[in-house]
Amino acid sequence: MNRSILYALAAAVLFGASTPLAKVLTGGVPPILLAGLLYLGSGLGLTIIRLARDRGWQAPGLKAAEWPWLLGAIGFGGVLGPVALMVGLTSTTGAAASLLLNLEAVLTALLAWLAFKENTDSRIVLGMAAIVAGGMLLSWPHGQIGHSTWHGPAAIAAACLCWAIDNNLTRKVSASDALFIAGSKGLAAGVVNVALALLLGAALPPAHVALSAMTLGLFGYGISLVMFVLALRGLGSSRTGAYFSTAPFVGAAIALLFLGEQTSWQFWLAVALMAVGVWLHLTERHAHEHTHEVLEHSHRHVHDAHHQHEHDADWDGSEPHSHPHRHEPITHSHPHYPDIHHGHRH
């Protein structure tokens, strides 16, 4: 569980830093083309890393029923979400946009609760309410908070909705190879968005600008997404989103410290509201007696209380390791999140 939290926080830092840095690039690169370059850098970089790790191409091992979830995640999170964000950044400051991205955690949790039946409690709901209040304050047109119309915040909110759908769909395949999931999303989204931008008349930027965007995409979108997928395994969609909601504070800090952006008292009130919401999430504890039903899947694991199974005779005893395995029914009580082993009803 602690490792999953670290994965979520690492994903937050990488993605949070990428938002104000992408803002710097929006002035010279059309939004759709910039989104494509960010994801193309992510996809190419992660694919190279995966090929080096596996010493060649290895099948991802996704089941037939898992491919629709992954393709849906690519469409919403890799194609629609980045374009909406880049459009929003053209009329919103990097600091305000960074904080507005907290809405992704709220929408992720709402979809997880309503559509995918993850459990929740009053502490999480209160945290989400505080984050929504901060987001609404940032979205209200006024002075120096970063915009004069609602169009920019609306586009960023649309990006958050796309990524919320993406997060919940990716949760369905999070037990699979995280490098493949993130790399395939980056390649597909990068190719589609770059091709669409060129068809609409965009011109490729200078090589150094394209390389900067692709490098930013590798770290801020690619490696961040790998960390996010690993966190989904251990925390579930809504809790991973809660930890990930620290990302906008990283982005806002960079925008204020290094880009010289100005703020108002409304901005800092929004910071306070969102900080309260994040704190409520980070201090949650959930424990009760629960029953695990029969489950068959494959992922990296060690022989803990949830992984007591037989192995083939050729197993060398190394851990962690990955192979298809079967979970037998078990009833016990311990602190847990709605991870890939705790999808029970409450």
Side-chain angles (χ1 to χ4, degrees):
M1 186 179 298
N2 291 335
R3 181 175 296 177
S4 297
I5 291 172
L6 291 176
Y7 287 146
L9 293 176
V13 170
L14 289 170
F15 181 74
S18 73
T19 300
L21 295 178
K23 169 71 177 178
V24 175
L25 297 174
T26 55
V29 184
I32 298 178
L33 181 57
L34 179 56
L37 291 173
L38 289 168
Y39 266 99
L40 194 60
S42 165
L44 289 174
L46 293 181
T47 299
I48 292 172
I49 293 173
R50 184 170 183 264
L51 290 174
R53 182 199 66 183
D54 297 338
R55 298 181 180 179
W57 172 256
Q58 298 290 335
L62 283 175
K63 299 178 181 178
E66 293 178 323
W67 281 101
W69 299 115
L70 178 58
L71 294 176
I74 290 172
F76 282 99
V79 178
L80 299 178
V83 172
L85 176 62
M86 295 307 120
V87 170
L89 285 176
T90 60
S91 57
T92 309
T93 67
S98 293
L99 289 182
L100 280 168
L101 289 176
N102 266 309
L103 295 176
E104 179 185 345
V106 178
L107 296 172
T108 295
L110 289 175
L111 287 176
W113 301 336
L114 300 177
F116 295 90
K117 308 305 180 184
E118 277 193 13
N119 71 286
T120 187
D121 57 31
S122 58
R123 191 179 190 86
I124 293 296
V125 173
L126 287 174
M128 291 300 177
I131 292 173
V132 169
M136 291 178 63
L137 185 60
L138 280 178
S139 300
W140 198 266
H142 50 264
Q144 294 182 333
I145 204 166
H147 44 75
S148 57
T149 69
W150 57 269
H151 299 89
I156 294 173
C160 291
L161 176 59
C162 290
W163 282 323
I165 297 172
D166 169 22
N167 294 339
N168 281 281
L169 296 181
T170 302
R171 167 72 172 79
K172 293 291 187 177
V173 296
S174 61
S176 302
D177 185 353
L179 276 176
F180 174 77
I181 293 172
S184 59
K185 182 183 295 186
L187 284 175
V191 170
V192 169
N193 282 318
V194 169
L196 179 60
L198 295 178
L199 287 174
L200 293 176
L204 289 175
H208 71 279
V209 175
L211 182 60
S212 297
M214 293 174 71
T215 302
L216 178 61
L218 172 59
F219 288 93
Y221 285 55
I223 297 177
S224 174
L225 181 55
V226 171
M227 297 293 104
F228 192 90
V229 172
L230 293 175
L232 283 173
R233 295 179 186 175
L235 302 176
S237 298
S238 61
R239 271 70 175 182
T240 300
Y243 283 96
F244 191 73
S245 61
T246 58
F249 298 104
V250 177
I254 291 176
L256 296 177
L257 292 175
F258 299 105
L259 302 184
E261 294 184 353
Q262 301 298 311
T263 60
S264 65
W265 67 267
Q266 292 97 333
F267 179 89
W268 293 109
L269 179 57
V271 168
L273 286 168
M274 291 182 169
V276 169
V278 172
W279 175 79
L280 287 169
H281 294 159
L282 298 181
T283 54
E284 180 213 9
R285 179 179 173 84
H286 181 78
H288 61 90
E289 185 175 88
H290 55 277
T291 298
H292 295 269
E293 304 295 338
V294 174
L295 175 65
E296 294 186 13
H297 59 184
S298 176
H299 64 93
R300 284 175 60 83
H301 62 275
V302 298
H303 289 168
D304 56 17
H306 297 96
H307 295 91
Q308 298 298 316
H309 47 254
E310 299 295 330
H311 289 79
D312 296 332
D314 59 355
W315 178 49
D316 62 5
S318 62
E319 293 184 359
H321 57 260
S322 178
H323 62 85
H325 55 276
R326 174 186 174 92
H327 294 267
E328 299 298 336
I330 182 176
T331 299
H332 59 181
S333 177
H334 62 91
H336 62 277
Y337 289 127
D339 58 20
I340 58 176
H341 299 108
H342 294 90
H344 50 263
R345 295 184 179 274
H346 290 74

